[in-house]
Amino acid sequence: MHDGHDGHDDPPRLPDLDADATSGGIDVLPFLALVLLLCGAVLYLVALRRTRDRSPWPRPRTAAWMSGLLCAAVGTVGPFAALAHSSFPVHMAGHVLVGMLAPLLLVLGHPVSLALRALPVARARMLSRLLRCGPVRTLTHPVIAGTLNIGGLWLLYATPLFPLMHASPWLHAAVHLHVLLTGYLFTASILGLDPDPHRASVTVRASVLIVFIAAHSILAKWLWAHPPAGVPVADARIGAELMFSAGDAVDVLLIVLLLRQWYVATRPRDSAQPQNEESPSWRRSIASTASGA
């Protein structure tokens, strides 16, 4: 790994992923990303159509979901994503888009709530049972989701995985998929906007968020001093500063949304008002949610 001091020769550039990726006649990541993102958009629109006879679905949720898909598309498909193969700052901008901003917007789209409304009762109950099963409970716990998210980033940038990713189109696609999925799991576990029978307390979620922000900031500073193999020092420092500043901006949004949720959950209510979403009765209400009530 490069020592990160000025005055040294720049290390060899990263492998040309485009040449490897297209050697089989297809660029793996853009193709898979395009298919998955289009499926996400179509399924959401189909669900909206199926629920058009029920109470109106808030338009900001639809806008958030589509914006999240767009952010993920910019980071994985097209000229911006292609430039990320040779420019570390652009790669880091793509990381913020795919791993942080897109997951936040997708969670704000309330996809699980929409699915519970759109599915037939039997399948909605199957989904609610799936949400209550042990593996899902484990994966959606803030500690586990946060560890998978920040642990994957440390593994990517602090080990030879980063240059290896640029030499293998399938590994490149797998890393981006991991970044998006773990980013979504972590954001969903912190905000808890969709029905979640195992939602952690606000104290646990806030504590995990603080630790995550600290670990993400430390990683950005570590990258500034220790560029990944194949990345010039100047590019690494620009990318690290972008990771630090843009990452903090997204994290501030998470903090604001979590505090707003805490305020709504704890403010005084009349007995006639619905139960707040932290109450045990709300946790049991997922079954009725499955029926679209």
Side-chain angles (χ1 to χ4, degrees):
M1 181 172 290
H2 195 277
D3 60 12
H5 296 293
D6 289 334
H8 289 210
D9 292 337
D10 284 339
R13 300 289 295 188
L14 292 168
D16 186 354
L17 179 62
D18 288 339
D20 293 334
T22 56
S23 60
I26 187 170
D27 197 346
V28 176
L29 176 60
F31 175 76
L32 290 179
L34 193 59
V35 170
L36 291 176
L37 296 175
L38 284 176
C39 286
V42 170
L43 289 174
Y44 198 93
L45 293 175
V46 169
L48 282 179
R49 182 176 176 81
R50 287 189 175 182
T51 60
R52 64 184 184 279
D53 296 332
R54 299 185 179 181
S55 57
W57 183 253
R59 292 183 178 179
R61 295 182 183 182
T62 304
W65 178 263
M66 295 303 172
S67 299
L69 295 180
L70 180 61
C71 286
V74 171
T76 54
V77 182
F80 184 88
L83 185 59
H85 298 328
S86 57
S87 169
F88 188 72
V90 176
H91 161 83
M92 193 53 69
H95 154 69
V96 174
L97 283 173
V98 176
M100 301 186 74
L101 187 56
L104 174 59
L105 291 168
L106 293 175
V107 169
L108 292 176
H110 293 67
V112 178
S113 299
L114 181 60
L116 289 171
R117 285 167 55 112
L119 289 171
V121 173
R123 292 185 178 180
R125 287 175 176 165
M126 288 178 60
L127 177 57
S128 70
R129 286 196 294 272
L130 177 64
L131 294 174
R132 291 196 296 267
C133 73
V136 172
R137 178 178 186 173
T138 300
L139 285 174
T140 56
H141 192 279
V143 174
I144 301 300
T147 301
L148 290 173
N149 192 355
I150 195 63
L153 294 178
W154 274 96
L155 184 65
L156 174 61
Y157 295 118
T159 71
L161 179 59
F162 184 73
L164 289 175
M165 178 187 79
H166 282 79
S168 168
W170 287 103
L171 184 58
H172 191 253
V175 167
H176 278 75
L177 183 61
H178 173 85
V179 168
L180 178 62
L181 291 180
T182 58
Y184 179 88
L185 274 179
F186 173 69
T187 307
S189 71
I190 293 297
L191 295 182
L193 300 178
D194 277 320
D196 180 0
H198 310 297
R199 179 180 298 169
S201 68
V202 172
T203 301
V204 170
R205 286 182 278 155
S207 300
V208 172
L209 180 56
I210 291 171
V211 172
F212 175 85
I213 292 172
H216 195 264
S217 299
I218 292 172
L219 177 58
K221 294 176 180 177
W222 190 89
L223 274 174
W224 195 91
H226 303 85
V231 176
V233 174
D235 280 3
R237 292 182 173 177
I238 295 173
E241 291 168 0
L242 181 61
M243 181 183 191
F244 185 86
S245 55
D248 276 0
V250 178
D251 289 335
V252 167
L253 290 175
L254 268 177
I255 293 172
V256 170
L257 291 169
L258 180 60
L259 290 177
R260 178 181 180 277
Q261 188 181 98
W262 172 78
Y263 169 76
V264 171
T266 58
R267 67 183 176 183
R269 291 176 179 274
D270 295 334
S271 58
Q273 288 184 306
Q275 294 283 344
N276 71 64
E277 55 189 17
E278 292 292 333
S279 68
S281 61
W282 181 89
R283 295 171 187 268
R284 293 192 296 270
S285 72
I286 188 170
S288 61
T289 304
S291 65

